[in-house]
Amino acid sequence: MAVLGAIADDLTGATDLAITLTSAGYRTTVVLGTDDMEEVTSGELREEADAVVVALKSRTMPVDRAVDASLRALERLRREGCERFYVKYCSTFDSTPSGNIGPVTEAVMDALGEDITVIAPAFPTNGRTVYRGHLFVGDDPLDESPMRHHPLTPMADSSLPRLLAPQVSGGEDAIALVPWPVVDRGAEAVREAVGRARAGGARFVVADALTDQDLRTLASAVEPFRLLTGGSALAQGLVGPRETDHASWELPEGPRVVLSGSASRATQGQVRHALETGDGHHLRAADLRGDFDGTVAAVISAALSSGATPFVVYATASPGDVADTADASVIEEALAAIAERLADSGVRSLLVAGGETSGAVVHRLGVGALTLGREVDPGVAWTRGRRAGGDIHLMLKSGNFGGEDLFVRAWEAAL
Ligand SMILES: Nc1ncnc2c1ncn2[C@@H]1O[C@H](COP(=O)(O)OP(=O)(O)O)[C@@H](O)[C@H]1O
Ligand SMILES: O=C(O)[C@@H](O)C(=O)COP(=O)(O)O
């Protein structure tokens, strides 16, 4: 019976967390947060999984819909027997001025009857650290990083308390900061600081974290909390019920298609790198609006005739490609249609770049659950998706994750 239930606000975030949970000793399954999730989770997964991660596509939904979807996911996880919960959001705290991190966290806390939780997006291995409540991406404060220009969730501040305050009841009075010198002193010092914050009325504890060890300290300090929230790296501090290893499989033969809807800087570099040796198609919103079916058909035909080098279908290879963010949905729609047609044509492995994009693709493919393979880069792994008509191998890559050569190396990585 699953003991840990997680709600992730996007699909790449879900696989990112599942990788860490698997390493921490939880047999972990990712399920897609669709209406038929009950059916998916009520059978074999109940026996198979110690942790279930529900992958939503709620990061950019209207607040009330995101809350509703998250509460439905929570209910189903509780019915699975989960007793401890994790709300997973992006390590760059991707949200809008009104949500959805704050409202979802608060709604889950209320549903569980919890009066306090931790806010911990840091992911040091991928350069996301928190100091004095400010989130850094590499050397830059969040609002000076490329996240400032994200097409869907541009981040215009780096202060986590300031970002969170308008998203929760009680505003800044409900938020406390545990600064790094306290974290550095160890779990007991953090426990005392959290106790003082709680006595002072705080419900959300933002904690600094510069290293994985800081996150382990934090996880140990908040061990009694039934709800944790954060990026994936906080989960390193959890202790699962068994020694587990990630599954391993051979990738099926066939075209090496990358579907890249991410506009993130790391993805742009990966697209350009892959195009140096492979082939590709620049998917332009204007072409799709002019002739959606014809554009999709041309891409399918080129992808199916590609060889042993990656064929990259991409929306953005340089910052200037994003002219109008209103184009986002037609691009997602096209990449999902391409994925479906490729799968119907027998393609059994796809690399998808971008969280929203992955959500759109995997929903269209009708994948019910994902099993995790080994980590290829921090937060990135091949997965195996269960699908009527035959399983499909999917690498779902967060926008800013992965080395520059990932689109080439992924296919070579020993699984
Ligand atoms: N050139 C572009 N013009 C408009 N929207 C774009 C362009 N390139 C990507 N997008 C959109 O930006 C969004 C990127 O989000 P996502 O897939 O989550 O990537 P990431 O993981 O990098 O954030 C998607 O909705 C995608 O369709
Ligand atoms: O925490 C992270 O950074 C990732 O797990 C994640 O959620 C990234 O989201 P996208 O960049 O939108 O893929």
Side-chain angles (χ1 to χ4, degrees):
M1 182 189 274
V3 291
L4 183 80
I7 304 164
D9 67 356
D10 83 347
L11 188 49
T12 47
T15 57
D16 174 18
L17 177 62
I19 292 168
T20 310
L21 288 173
T22 306
S23 302
Y26 295 87
R27 288 174 313 181
T28 306
T29 301
V30 175
V31 296
L32 279 292
T34 57
D35 288 340
D36 60 1
M37 195 183 95
E38 192 158 8
E39 191 185 318
V40 173
T41 55
S42 64
E44 50 192 316
L45 295 182
R46 197 188 287 261
E47 305 303 322
E48 279 176 19
D50 307 310
V52 176
V53 183
V54 181
L56 299 177
K57 194 172 183 296
S58 56
R59 191 172 287 177
T60 55
M61 274 180 182
V63 173
D64 52 347
R65 279 185 54 210
V67 166
D68 184 54
S70 305
L71 289 179
R72 278 191 292 133
L74 177 69
E75 266 322 297
R76 288 165 181 178
L77 289 168
R78 290 176 96 171
R79 284 206 294 273
E80 287 302 307
C82 297
E83 287 157 359
R84 213 168 174 218
F85 301 90
Y86 199 111
V87 167
K88 160 71 178 70
Y89 40 78
C90 192
S91 61
T92 43
F93 214 68
D94 298 16
S95 51
T96 67
S98 55
N100 291 326
I101 295 174
V104 165
T105 299
E106 199 162 18
V108 173
M109 279 169 81
D110 290 347
L112 292 173
E114 288 291 286
D115 65 349
I116 195 160
T117 191
V118 64
I119 304 287
F123 190 164
T125 312
N126 272 331
R128 288 92 199 262
T129 54
V130 179
Y131 186 69
R132 298 280 166 184
H134 289 267
L135 181 55
F136 287 81
V137 179
D139 294 334
D140 301 317
L142 179 64
D143 56 328
E144 292 173 30
S145 79
M147 283 308 297
R148 185 173 182 81
H149 305 291
H150 191 280
L152 303 176
T153 48
M155 300 306 290
D157 198 350
S158 67
S159 160
L160 293 171
R162 274 202 305 262
L163 287 166
L164 190 61
Q167 299 187 21
V168 293
S169 357
E172 61 187 26
D173 292 343
I175 303 167
L177 172 67
V178 178
W180 185 77
V182 175
V183 177
D184 190 45
R185 289 213 309 275
E188 192 46 44
V190 176
R191 234 171 263 130
E192 284 167 13
V194 168
R196 282 193 298 276
R198 185 183 226 151
R203 303 188 72 212
F204 307 92
V205 177
V206 174
D208 283 355
L210 303 181
T211 63
D212 289 340
Q213 181 52 47
D214 292 340
L215 288 163
R216 285 192 209 100
T217 298
L218 185 58
S220 155
V222 299
E223 214 267 329
F225 290 9
R226 281 177 74 214
L227 174 66
L228 302 180
T229 85
S232 62
L234 177 65
Q236 292 172 96
L238 301 180
V239 183
R242 66 192 81 237
E243 291 281 317
T244 43
D245 201 1
H246 299 81
S248 61
W249 323 278
E250 291 289 324
L251 274 190
E253 294 290 318
R256 302 179 170 192
V257 184
V258 179
L259 301 177
S260 179
S262 161
S264 296
R265 184 187 281 180
T267 307
Q268 291 175 25
Q270 289 155 351
V271 168
R272 291 195 298 268
H273 176 273
L275 290 174
E276 284 168 18
T277 50
D279 207 350
H281 181 101
H282 187 170
L283 204 58
R284 291 185 173 83
D287 297 342
L288 292 167
R289 290 194 206 292
D291 179 7
F292 188 92
D293 291 343
T295 306
V296 166
V299 173
I300 305 279
S301 143
L304 287 177
S305 55
S306 64
T309 51
F311 185 88
V312 190
V313 186
Y314 61 97
T316 300
S318 60
D321 291 340
V322 187
D324 186 350
T325 53
D327 292 338
S329 54
V330 75
I331 290 169
E332 285 185 30
E333 176 70 14
L335 290 169
I338 292 165
E340 184 179 36
R341 297 264 303 274
L342 287 173
D344 289 348
S345 305
V347 171
R348 286 287 167 266
S349 59
L350 290 171
L351 194 167
V352 187
E356 294 293 321
T357 307
S358 296
V361 164
V362 172
H363 278 98
R364 180 68 71 88
L365 287 175
V367 169
L370 296 165
T371 316
L372 270 287
R374 289 212 186 90
E375 198 168 26
V376 174
D377 272 342
V380 188
W382 280 103
T383 67
R384 188 172 176 142
R386 299 179 202 183
R387 179 174 190 257
D391 287 0
I392 183 161
H393 293 258
L394 296 164
M395 179 178 281
L396 308 173
K397 187 202 82 80
S398 290
N400 276 309
F401 286 3
E404 196 188 36
D405 60 348
L406 179 67
F407 291 176
V408 177
R409 187 165 37 85
W411 308 93
E412 314 294 345
L415 288 173

